[in-house]
Amino acid sequence: MVSFVVEKPHRISNGVVSETTRLSIIPNNSSSAQKTLLKNLEIINGGQRVNAWVDSMRASSPTHLKSLPFSASSEKHLSSWIMKHPSALEMFKKITEASGGKQIVMFLDYDGTLSPIVDDPDKAFMSSKMRRTVKKLAKCFPTAIVTGRCIDKVYSFVKLAELYYAGSHGMDIKGPATGFSRHKRVKQSLLYQPASDYLPIIDEVCKQLLEKTKSTPGVIVENHKFTASVHFRCVEEKKWSELVLQVRSVLDKYPTLKLSQGRKVFEIRPMIEWDKGRALEFLLETLGFANSNNVFPVYIGDDRTDEDAFKALAFLSPNFPRIPMLRTLCKIRPR
């Protein structure tokens, strides 16, 4: 198993350090501290709970590299960092060599991996060059896009019928269009939606979130069919407390939904045991590679939600070589 994450340099008080998207929302990157914060979010109330959410929002929003003053030391540090964390594409020859002739299966995140991170999620277009690269991958290996976006939206960006798509954080899985798959292990009609019962609830929640947050400039609410997102990338920090209260006021009415946080985004998902990791397990099983020693799954992603996929592959394939720190396929700015 080969997994990829992205590290992005940013500055703290004592100089320039590297910040990885594996970083939790806790400033000191401690797993125990993360558990403590999450526990506190559940047991405290009022201003304390809001402050805890705002602190986590701030911790997961590093300063943009472009805004940092240039210095010889920072430039040297950046060059050294790039040397230690090469491009995933530049490393692909080593990946194929590491596979040892096993069947490679490619899993790709979309935002920040195949497309740049942008302020408007509707404008996260992938380049023509990237599309050609993914098309070539799909000719060689079974290839899937695994994303938090709904399938229809990500397909409108990717426009490749030969891929597998796992949208809504893996809660909506679809196989290649009829006649496009080069891999005969799976039926063309593959379709799996473990959260189908939640369709009307998610739709209702999105409408309420749109109404509740309309007074907060910069908020973007996205309906991903089986999940929802509330983006606060363009919201002034002084408005974050207000936004937390707005989102919580809606979600408190829906005990079957859970709220989590990504990079400058709140994620609303059904409270079921399903995530990107489970989606990968399902796809590997569908392709006939469940409990197989002849498969070499590769996952490339850049966000905290991709951790579910990394953990699943580490559990399924503990003996596979692991390359934990590589840059993604496209040039992106810090989130």
mmCIF file of all heavy atoms in Angstrom, residues 252-288:
data_model
loop_
_atom_site.group_PDB
_atom_site.id
_atom_site.type_symbol
_atom_site.label_atom_id
_atom_site.label_comp_id
_atom_site.label_asym_id
_atom_site.label_seq_id
_atom_site.Cartn_x
_atom_site.Cartn_y
_atom_site.Cartn_z
ATOM 1 N N ASP A 252 -28.563 20.622 15.678
ATOM 2 C CA ASP A 252 -29.120 20.133 16.940
ATOM 3 C C ASP A 252 -30.485 19.478 16.751
ATOM 4 O O ASP A 252 -30.930 18.686 17.587
ATOM 5 C CB ASP A 252 -29.234 21.286 17.944
ATOM 6 C CG ASP A 252 -27.877 21.662 18.536
ATOM 7 O OD1 ASP A 252 -26.931 20.862 18.377
ATOM 8 O OD2 ASP A 252 -27.771 22.747 19.134
ATOM 9 N N LYS A 253 -31.137 19.789 15.648
ATOM 10 C CA LYS A 253 -32.468 19.210 15.368
ATOM 11 C C LYS A 253 -32.371 17.836 14.701
ATOM 12 O O LYS A 253 -33.399 17.183 14.519
ATOM 13 C CB LYS A 253 -33.259 20.153 14.456
ATOM 14 C CG LYS A 253 -33.391 21.575 14.966
ATOM 15 C CD LYS A 253 -34.020 22.458 13.897
ATOM 16 C CE LYS A 253 -33.994 23.921 14.293
ATOM 17 N NZ LYS A 253 -34.506 24.791 13.188
ATOM 18 N N TYR A 254 -31.155 17.437 14.342
ATOM 19 C CA TYR A 254 -30.996 16.198 13.572
ATOM 20 C C TYR A 254 -29.991 15.271 14.269
ATOM 21 O O TYR A 254 -28.802 15.260 13.935
ATOM 22 C CB TYR A 254 -30.533 16.515 12.150
ATOM 23 C CG TYR A 254 -31.535 17.332 11.373
ATOM 24 C CD1 TYR A 254 -31.477 18.725 11.386
ATOM 25 C CD2 TYR A 254 -32.551 16.718 10.645
ATOM 26 C CE1 TYR A 254 -32.403 19.484 10.685
ATOM 27 C CE2 TYR A 254 -33.475 17.460 9.938
ATOM 28 C CZ TYR A 254 -33.398 18.846 9.964
ATOM 29 O OH TYR A 254 -34.330 19.587 9.276
ATOM 30 N N PRO A 255 -30.439 14.496 15.232
ATOM 31 C CA PRO A 255 -29.529 13.625 15.992
ATOM 32 C C PRO A 255 -28.908 12.505 15.161
ATOM 33 O O PRO A 255 -27.955 11.885 15.617
ATOM 34 C CB PRO A 255 -30.443 13.062 17.090
ATOM 35 C CG PRO A 255 -31.823 13.144 16.521
ATOM 36 C CD PRO A 255 -31.837 14.390 15.688
ATOM 37 N N THR A 256 -29.427 12.246 13.966
ATOM 38 C CA THR A 256 -28.861 11.178 13.129
ATOM 39 C C THR A 256 -27.763 11.694 12.197
ATOM 40 O O THR A 256 -27.242 10.942 11.374
ATOM 41 C CB THR A 256 -29.955 10.511 12.276
ATOM 42 O OG1 THR A 256 -30.578 11.492 11.433
ATOM 43 C CG2 THR A 256 -30.998 9.859 13.166
ATOM 44 N N LEU A 257 -27.420 12.974 12.344
ATOM 45 C CA LEU A 257 -26.337 13.557 11.547
ATOM 46 C C LEU A 257 -25.187 13.950 12.468
ATOM 47 O O LEU A 257 -25.393 14.279 13.631
ATOM 48 C CB LEU A 257 -26.825 14.790 10.775
ATOM 49 C CG LEU A 257 -27.956 14.588 9.772
ATOM 50 C CD1 LEU A 257 -28.312 15.913 9.115
ATOM 51 C CD2 LEU A 257 -27.583 13.548 8.727
ATOM 52 N N LYS A 258 -23.976 13.920 11.946
ATOM 53 C CA LYS A 258 -22.813 14.317 12.731
ATOM 54 C C LYS A 258 -22.058 15.440 12.035
ATOM 55 O O LYS A 258 -22.064 15.549 10.798
ATOM 56 C CB LYS A 258 -21.875 13.127 12.963
ATOM 57 C CG LYS A 258 -21.366 12.453 11.706
ATOM 58 C CD LYS A 258 -20.531 11.224 12.054
ATOM 59 C CE LYS A 258 -20.067 10.482 10.805
ATOM 60 N NZ LYS A 258 -19.279 9.277 11.134
ATOM 61 N N LEU A 259 -21.426 16.264 12.823
ATOM 62 C CA LEU A 259 -20.700 17.430 12.326
ATOM 63 C C LEU A 259 -19.213 17.253 12.576
ATOM 64 O O LEU A 259 -18.785 16.939 13.680
ATOM 65 C CB LEU A 259 -21.196 18.696 13.039
ATOM 66 C CG LEU A 259 -20.525 20.022 12.658
ATOM 67 C CD1 LEU A 259 -20.812 20.374 11.215
ATOM 68 C CD2 LEU A 259 -21.015 21.133 13.588
ATOM 69 N N SER A 260 -18.418 17.433 11.530
ATOM 70 C CA SER A 260 -16.964 17.383 11.662
ATOM 71 C C SER A 260 -16.371 18.557 10.902
ATOM 72 O O SER A 260 -17.088 19.300 10.216
ATOM 73 C CB SER A 260 -16.411 16.058 11.121
ATOM 74 O OG SER A 260 -16.719 15.902 9.749
ATOM 75 N N GLN A 261 -15.067 18.725 11.030
ATOM 76 C CA GLN A 261 -14.428 19.886 10.424
ATOM 77 C C GLN A 261 -13.261 19.474 9.553
ATOM 78 O O GLN A 261 -12.444 18.626 9.922
ATOM 79 C CB GLN A 261 -13.942 20.836 11.519
ATOM 80 C CG GLN A 261 -13.376 22.135 10.983
ATOM 81 C CD GLN A 261 -12.791 22.984 12.095
ATOM 82 O OE1 GLN A 261 -13.324 23.013 13.195
ATOM 83 N NE2 GLN A 261 -11.693 23.651 11.815
ATOM 84 N N GLY A 262 -13.181 20.059 8.363
ATOM 85 C CA GLY A 262 -12.046 19.877 7.479
ATOM 86 C C GLY A 262 -11.299 21.186 7.351
ATOM 87 O O GLY A 262 -11.374 22.046 8.230
ATOM 88 N N ARG A 263 -10.637 21.350 6.219
ATOM 89 C CA ARG A 263 -9.894 22.588 5.983
ATOM 90 C C ARG A 263 -10.838 23.708 5.574
ATOM 91 O O ARG A 263 -11.310 23.759 4.454
ATOM 92 C CB ARG A 263 -8.846 22.359 4.884
ATOM 93 C CG ARG A 263 -7.716 21.438 5.306
ATOM 94 C CD ARG A 263 -6.794 22.164 6.241
ATOM 95 N NE ARG A 263 -5.735 21.294 6.705
ATOM 96 C CZ ARG A 263 -4.715 21.714 7.406
ATOM 97 N NH1 ARG A 263 -4.612 22.977 7.732
ATOM 98 N NH2 ARG A 263 -3.794 20.879 7.802
ATOM 99 N N LYS A 264 -11.122 24.598 6.542
ATOM 100 C CA LYS A 264 -12.013 25.723 6.327
ATOM 101 C C LYS A 264 -13.382 25.281 5.823
ATOM 102 O O LYS A 264 -13.996 25.929 4.976
ATOM 103 C CB LYS A 264 -11.377 26.735 5.372
ATOM 104 C CG LYS A 264 -10.143 27.416 5.970
ATOM 105 C CD LYS A 264 -9.666 28.569 5.131
ATOM 106 C CE LYS A 264 -8.500 29.272 5.829
ATOM 107 N NZ LYS A 264 -7.978 30.399 5.042
ATOM 108 N N VAL A 265 -13.854 24.161 6.347
ATOM 109 C CA VAL A 265 -15.162 23.666 5.962
ATOM 110 C C VAL A 265 -15.743 22.816 7.092
ATOM 111 O O VAL A 265 -15.012 22.099 7.780
ATOM 112 C CB VAL A 265 -15.083 22.835 4.656
ATOM 113 C CG1 VAL A 265 -14.205 21.608 4.830
ATOM 114 C CG2 VAL A 265 -16.466 22.445 4.161
ATOM 115 N N PHE A 266 -17.034 22.929 7.317
ATOM 116 C CA PHE A 266 -17.756 22.018 8.192
ATOM 117 C C PHE A 266 -18.385 20.931 7.325
ATOM 118 O O PHE A 266 -18.959 21.226 6.273
ATOM 119 C CB PHE A 266 -18.863 22.745 8.969
ATOM 120 C CG PHE A 266 -18.355 23.677 10.031
ATOM 121 C CD1 PHE A 266 -18.699 25.018 10.023
ATOM 122 C CD2 PHE A 266 -17.539 23.204 11.050
ATOM 123 C CE1 PHE A 266 -18.237 25.877 11.006
ATOM 124 C CE2 PHE A 266 -17.066 24.058 12.040
ATOM 125 C CZ PHE A 266 -17.413 25.394 12.014
ATOM 126 N N GLU A 267 -18.279 19.695 7.765
ATOM 127 C CA GLU A 267 -18.851 18.566 7.037
ATOM 128 C C GLU A 267 -20.015 17.985 7.831
ATOM 129 O O GLU A 267 -19.871 17.692 9.021
ATOM 130 C CB GLU A 267 -17.799 17.476 6.811
ATOM 131 C CG GLU A 267 -16.544 17.940 6.071
ATOM 132 C CD GLU A 267 -16.744 18.020 4.580
ATOM 133 O OE1 GLU A 267 -17.878 17.782 4.117
ATOM 134 O OE2 GLU A 267 -15.772 18.312 3.861
ATOM 135 N N ILE A 268 -21.155 17.824 7.176
ATOM 136 C CA ILE A 268 -22.324 17.208 7.800
ATOM 137 C C ILE A 268 -22.561 15.866 7.120
ATOM 138 O O ILE A 268 -22.738 15.805 5.896
ATOM 139 C CB ILE A 268 -23.578 18.101 7.666
ATOM 140 C CG1 ILE A 268 -23.392 19.395 8.460
ATOM 141 C CG2 ILE A 268 -24.809 17.362 8.174
ATOM 142 C CD1 ILE A 268 -22.875 20.557 7.683
ATOM 143 N N ARG A 269 -22.552 14.783 7.913
ATOM 144 C CA ARG A 269 -22.691 13.446 7.341
ATOM 145 C C ARG A 269 -23.696 12.611 8.147
ATOM 146 O O ARG A 269 -23.897 12.853 9.337
ATOM 147 C CB ARG A 269 -21.354 12.707 7.363
ATOM 148 C CG ARG A 269 -20.200 13.429 6.744
ATOM 149 C CD ARG A 269 -19.019 12.485 6.640
ATOM 150 N NE ARG A 269 -17.746 13.165 6.657
ATOM 151 C CZ ARG A 269 -16.574 12.561 6.624
ATOM 152 N NH1 ARG A 269 -16.518 11.244 6.595
ATOM 153 N NH2 ARG A 269 -15.447 13.255 6.643
ATOM 154 N N PRO A 270 -24.281 11.610 7.503
ATOM 155 C CA PRO A 270 -25.122 10.664 8.239
ATOM 156 C C PRO A 270 -24.304 9.926 9.291
ATOM 157 O O PRO A 270 -23.127 9.625 9.077
ATOM 158 C CB PRO A 270 -25.610 9.697 7.152
ATOM 159 C CG PRO A 270 -25.510 10.478 5.887
ATOM 160 C CD PRO A 270 -24.303 11.364 6.053
ATOM 161 N N MET A 271 -24.914 9.633 10.396
ATOM 162 C CA MET A 271 -24.224 8.943 11.481
ATOM 163 C C MET A 271 -24.263 7.432 11.238
ATOM 164 O O MET A 271 -24.919 6.670 11.962
ATOM 165 C CB MET A 271 -24.862 9.300 12.820
ATOM 166 C CG MET A 271 -23.965 9.027 14.027
ATOM 167 S SD MET A 271 -24.682 9.696 15.555
ATOM 168 C CE MET A 271 -24.495 11.458 15.286
ATOM 169 N N ILE A 272 -23.549 7.006 10.190
ATOM 170 C CA ILE A 272 -23.445 5.590 9.864
ATOM 171 C C ILE A 272 -21.967 5.231 9.762
ATOM 172 O O ILE A 272 -21.113 6.104 9.597
ATOM 173 C CB ILE A 272 -24.161 5.242 8.543
ATOM 174 C CG1 ILE A 272 -23.502 5.977 7.362
ATOM 175 C CG2 ILE A 272 -25.642 5.579 8.633
ATOM 176 C CD1 ILE A 272 -24.050 5.565 6.010
ATOM 177 N N GLU A 273 -21.671 3.956 9.866
ATOM 178 C CA GLU A 273 -20.286 3.496 9.801
ATOM 179 C C GLU A 273 -19.846 3.394 8.348
ATOM 180 O O GLU A 273 -19.779 2.309 7.767
ATOM 181 C CB GLU A 273 -20.164 2.140 10.508
ATOM 182 C CG GLU A 273 -20.378 2.187 12.006
ATOM 183 C CD GLU A 273 -19.342 3.066 12.706
ATOM 184 O OE1 GLU A 273 -18.165 3.024 12.291
ATOM 185 O OE2 GLU A 273 -19.719 3.779 13.646
ATOM 186 N N TRP A 274 -19.589 4.556 7.761
ATOM 187 C CA TRP A 274 -19.146 4.563 6.368
ATOM 188 C C TRP A 274 -18.321 5.812 6.117
ATOM 189 O O TRP A 274 -18.669 6.897 6.562
ATOM 190 C CB TRP A 274 -20.339 4.518 5.405
ATOM 191 C CG TRP A 274 -19.922 4.105 4.021
ATOM 192 C CD1 TRP A 274 -19.570 4.920 2.982
ATOM 193 C CD2 TRP A 274 -19.780 2.772 3.542
ATOM 194 N NE1 TRP A 274 -19.219 4.175 1.891
ATOM 195 C CE2 TRP A 274 -19.349 2.853 2.193
ATOM 196 C CE3 TRP A 274 -19.985 1.511 4.109
ATOM 197 C CZ2 TRP A 274 -19.106 1.725 1.412
ATOM 198 C CZ3 TRP A 274 -19.749 0.392 3.332
ATOM 199 C CH2 TRP A 274 -19.313 0.500 2.003
ATOM 200 N N ASP A 275 -17.200 5.668 5.409
ATOM 201 C CA ASP A 275 -16.333 6.787 5.089
ATOM 202 C C ASP A 275 -15.511 6.418 3.862
ATOM 203 O O ASP A 275 -15.768 5.397 3.202
ATOM 204 C CB ASP A 275 -15.433 7.141 6.280
ATOM 205 C CG ASP A 275 -14.669 5.933 6.817
ATOM 206 O OD1 ASP A 275 -14.327 5.016 6.037
ATOM 207 O OD2 ASP A 275 -14.413 5.883 8.043
ATOM 208 N N LYS A 276 -14.492 7.207 3.553
ATOM 209 C CA LYS A 276 -13.673 6.926 2.378
ATOM 210 C C LYS A 276 -12.954 5.590 2.496
ATOM 211 O O LYS A 276 -12.747 4.884 1.502
ATOM 212 C CB LYS A 276 -12.655 8.053 2.165
ATOM 213 C CG LYS A 276 -13.256 9.352 1.648
ATOM 214 C CD LYS A 276 -12.175 10.371 1.339
ATOM 215 C CE LYS A 276 -12.766 11.640 0.740
ATOM 216 N NZ LYS A 276 -11.717 12.633 0.381
ATOM 217 N N GLY A 277 -12.569 5.245 3.701
ATOM 218 C CA GLY A 277 -11.892 3.971 3.908
ATOM 219 C C GLY A 277 -12.781 2.791 3.583
ATOM 220 O O GLY A 277 -12.369 1.829 2.921
ATOM 221 N N ARG A 278 -14.038 2.848 4.051
ATOM 222 C CA ARG A 278 -14.982 1.778 3.753
ATOM 223 C C ARG A 278 -15.270 1.716 2.256
ATOM 224 O O ARG A 278 -15.491 0.631 1.694
ATOM 225 C CB ARG A 278 -16.281 2.001 4.535
ATOM 226 C CG ARG A 278 -16.144 1.865 6.047
ATOM 227 C CD ARG A 278 -15.875 0.419 6.457
ATOM 228 N NE ARG A 278 -16.965 -0.461 6.063
ATOM 229 C CZ ARG A 278 -18.072 -0.668 6.764
ATOM 230 N NH1 ARG A 278 -18.239 -0.036 7.920
ATOM 231 N NH2 ARG A 278 -19.009 -1.493 6.346
ATOM 232 N N ALA A 279 -15.283 2.880 1.602
ATOM 233 C CA ALA A 279 -15.511 2.914 0.154
ATOM 234 C C ALA A 279 -14.385 2.203 -0.587
ATOM 235 O O ALA A 279 -14.619 1.464 -1.556
ATOM 236 C CB ALA A 279 -15.626 4.363 -0.317
ATOM 237 N N LEU A 280 -13.145 2.400 -0.118
ATOM 238 C CA LEU A 280 -12.010 1.711 -0.738
ATOM 239 C C LEU A 280 -12.122 0.199 -0.562
ATOM 240 O O LEU A 280 -11.875 -0.574 -1.506
ATOM 241 C CB LEU A 280 -10.701 2.210 -0.135
ATOM 242 C CG LEU A 280 -9.962 3.306 -0.920
ATOM 243 C CD1 LEU A 280 -10.832 4.553 -1.052
ATOM 244 C CD2 LEU A 280 -8.639 3.645 -0.255
ATOM 245 N N GLU A 281 -12.504 -0.223 0.633
ATOM 246 C CA GLU A 281 -12.688 -1.656 0.885
ATOM 247 C C GLU A 281 -13.747 -2.227 -0.063
ATOM 248 O O GLU A 281 -13.566 -3.317 -0.624
ATOM 249 C CB GLU A 281 -13.112 -1.876 2.336
ATOM 250 C CG GLU A 281 -12.039 -1.525 3.360
ATOM 251 C CD GLU A 281 -12.555 -1.685 4.780
ATOM 252 O OE1 GLU A 281 -13.491 -2.489 4.975
ATOM 253 O OE2 GLU A 281 -12.040 -1.018 5.684
ATOM 254 N N PHE A 282 -14.847 -1.489 -0.229
ATOM 255 C CA PHE A 282 -15.925 -1.947 -1.105
ATOM 256 C C PHE A 282 -15.438 -2.073 -2.550
ATOM 257 O O PHE A 282 -15.725 -3.066 -3.235
ATOM 258 C CB PHE A 282 -17.104 -0.976 -1.028
ATOM 259 C CG PHE A 282 -18.213 -1.287 -1.997
ATOM 260 C CD1 PHE A 282 -19.182 -2.233 -1.685
ATOM 261 C CD2 PHE A 282 -18.282 -0.642 -3.223
ATOM 262 C CE1 PHE A 282 -20.200 -2.532 -2.586
ATOM 263 C CE2 PHE A 282 -19.300 -0.931 -4.125
ATOM 264 C CZ PHE A 282 -20.259 -1.879 -3.801
ATOM 265 N N LEU A 283 -14.708 -1.074 -3.031
ATOM 266 C CA LEU A 283 -14.240 -1.096 -4.413
ATOM 267 C C LEU A 283 -13.228 -2.215 -4.640
ATOM 268 O O LEU A 283 -13.268 -2.902 -5.675
ATOM 269 C CB LEU A 283 -13.633 0.257 -4.781
ATOM 270 C CG LEU A 283 -14.650 1.373 -5.068
ATOM 271 C CD1 LEU A 283 -13.962 2.731 -5.131
ATOM 272 C CD2 LEU A 283 -15.394 1.098 -6.372
ATOM 273 N N LEU A 284 -12.326 -2.413 -3.693
ATOM 274 C CA LEU A 284 -11.349 -3.495 -3.838
ATOM 275 C C LEU A 284 -12.051 -4.857 -3.850
ATOM 276 O O LEU A 284 -11.689 -5.745 -4.634
ATOM 277 C CB LEU A 284 -10.326 -3.439 -2.707
ATOM 278 C CG LEU A 284 -9.301 -2.296 -2.795
ATOM 279 C CD1 LEU A 284 -8.479 -2.222 -1.518
ATOM 280 C CD2 LEU A 284 -8.377 -2.490 -3.999
ATOM 281 N N GLU A 285 -13.064 -5.002 -2.999
ATOM 282 C CA GLU A 285 -13.816 -6.252 -2.984
ATOM 283 C C GLU A 285 -14.568 -6.449 -4.296
ATOM 284 O O GLU A 285 -14.604 -7.545 -4.857
ATOM 285 C CB GLU A 285 -14.790 -6.254 -1.812
ATOM 286 C CG GLU A 285 -15.587 -7.551 -1.681
ATOM 287 C CD GLU A 285 -16.485 -7.561 -0.462
ATOM 288 O OE1 GLU A 285 -16.412 -6.616 0.339
ATOM 289 O OE2 GLU A 285 -17.269 -8.522 -0.329
ATOM 290 N N THR A 286 -15.168 -5.367 -4.798
ATOM 291 C CA THR A 286 -15.917 -5.434 -6.048
ATOM 292 C C THR A 286 -15.004 -5.798 -7.218
ATOM 293 O O THR A 286 -15.405 -6.519 -8.133
ATOM 294 C CB THR A 286 -16.603 -4.083 -6.331
ATOM 295 O OG1 THR A 286 -17.466 -3.763 -5.238
ATOM 296 C CG2 THR A 286 -17.411 -4.136 -7.613
ATOM 297 N N LEU A 287 -13.780 -5.313 -7.166
ATOM 298 C CA LEU A 287 -12.811 -5.611 -8.219
ATOM 299 C C LEU A 287 -12.199 -7.000 -8.075
ATOM 300 O O LEU A 287 -11.407 -7.434 -8.915
ATOM 301 C CB LEU A 287 -11.690 -4.554 -8.208
ATOM 302 C CG LEU A 287 -12.078 -3.180 -8.768
ATOM 303 C CD1 LEU A 287 -11.060 -2.128 -8.349
ATOM 304 C CD2 LEU A 287 -12.186 -3.240 -10.290
ATOM 305 N N GLY A 288 -12.553 -7.702 -7.013
ATOM 306 C CA GLY A 288 -12.063 -9.059 -6.819
ATOM 307 C C GLY A 288 -10.753 -9.146 -6.064
ATOM 308 O O GLY A 288 -10.069 -10.168 -6.118
#
